[in-house]
Amino acid sequence: MTDTRDQPPNFSPIDFLRTRSLANVVQAEIERMIIDGELQPNERVNENALAQRLGVSRGPIREACSAIGAMGLIEVIPNRGFFVRALTNDEAYDLSVARAGVFACLTMMAAERVTDEELRPLAALIEKMEAIADTGDVHTYYPLNLEFHRHVTALGGNVRLAQIYQSFVRELHIQRYRALSSGDTLHVSNSEHRAILDALTARDPDAALKAGRLHIMNGIVRTRRAGDPIRPQEADTGRGHAAKARKT
């Protein structure tokens, strides 16, 4: 809720709506700062500094932080304030494996019902990402990557599963973004997108399930490599991740 202590006595309903809209803009900017690493895990969110930087009062900052807290990127510590959440290795691993299972299921379901017309946006996204991968511009690639995954999960036709998947995505934003920022990961990631598209185009549920799960499981290895280098023998093609990805 918006903090009324930062609002004038004659604060009207219209002012309230404007503040809510402003809070959405502030929320998007704070999310970006977290994902880009401007705000580090375990770092306290300085409300005054952010308010001055963004040219707003503390009310929209607090409302935005509360919303981001519900997404899992920020945690509220009573009497201390807002802090950027830091996932442990085990938490990130468990979330990623759960995400892999849900994404694989939705990809399989999409293969059972997708139309040619629905596949065209996926193909277009892949071509855009391939061109961006040539430049190594992860800032531009990442939103398209998110859109590709959103589109695939929507094609699965199960709203509840798609919502569960998005909840995992929100908590893993930082890890995924940094994983894509390392090495020639963009080309590798997009080749896996093509494998998913090929399986969907073939209307092959089994191949789609395998391609969807493998993409996420490979992402676990990429994430670990970005944060804590994995030995070459650990970076396989998706088999044996359970024991390897837990190592720190």
Side-chain angles (χ1 to χ4, degrees), residues 9-10 25 34 37 39 46 81 143 153 168 197 200 203 214 220:
N10 59 343
V25 175
I34 293 173
L39 291 173
N46 189 319
T153 56
F168 294 145
L197 178 61
L200 294 176
R203 307 318 196 265
L214 183 61
I220 296 176

Side-chain angles (χ1 to χ4, degrees), residues 131-209:
I132 294 168
D134 290 336
T135 70
D137 183 1
V138 68
H139 289 276
T140 306
Y141 182 95
Y142 186 64
L144 294 177
N145 176 64
L146 292 177
E147 181 59 27
F148 178 87
H149 283 254
R150 274 195 298 267
H151 198 75
V152 171
T153 56
L155 292 177
N158 188 298
V159 174
R160 182 57 176 158
L161 276 180
Q163 290 173 339
I164 292 172
Y165 175 80
Q166 287 303 322
S167 71
F168 294 145
V169 167
R170 293 187 188 100
E171 292 194 69
L172 290 164
H173 267 315
I174 300 173
Q175 287 78 7
R176 293 176 65 204
Y177 183 89
R178 291 176 182 171
L180 288 172
S181 300
S182 61
D184 189 37
T185 301
L186 300 187
H187 281 296
V188 175
S189 169
N190 207 36
S191 69
E192 294 167 3
H193 293 156
R194 287 189 186 278
I196 292 171
L197 178 61
D198 289 344
L200 294 176
T201 302
R203 307 318 196 265
D204 187 334
D206 289 339
L209 183 145

Side-chain angles (χ1 to χ4, degrees), residues 41-42 72 85-93 95 171-173 175:
N42 292 319
R85 185 181 176 195
L87 291 175
T88 66
N89 287 334
D90 284 344
E91 285 175 331
Y93 174 80
L95 282 169
E171 292 194 69
L172 290 164
H173 267 315
Q175 287 78 7

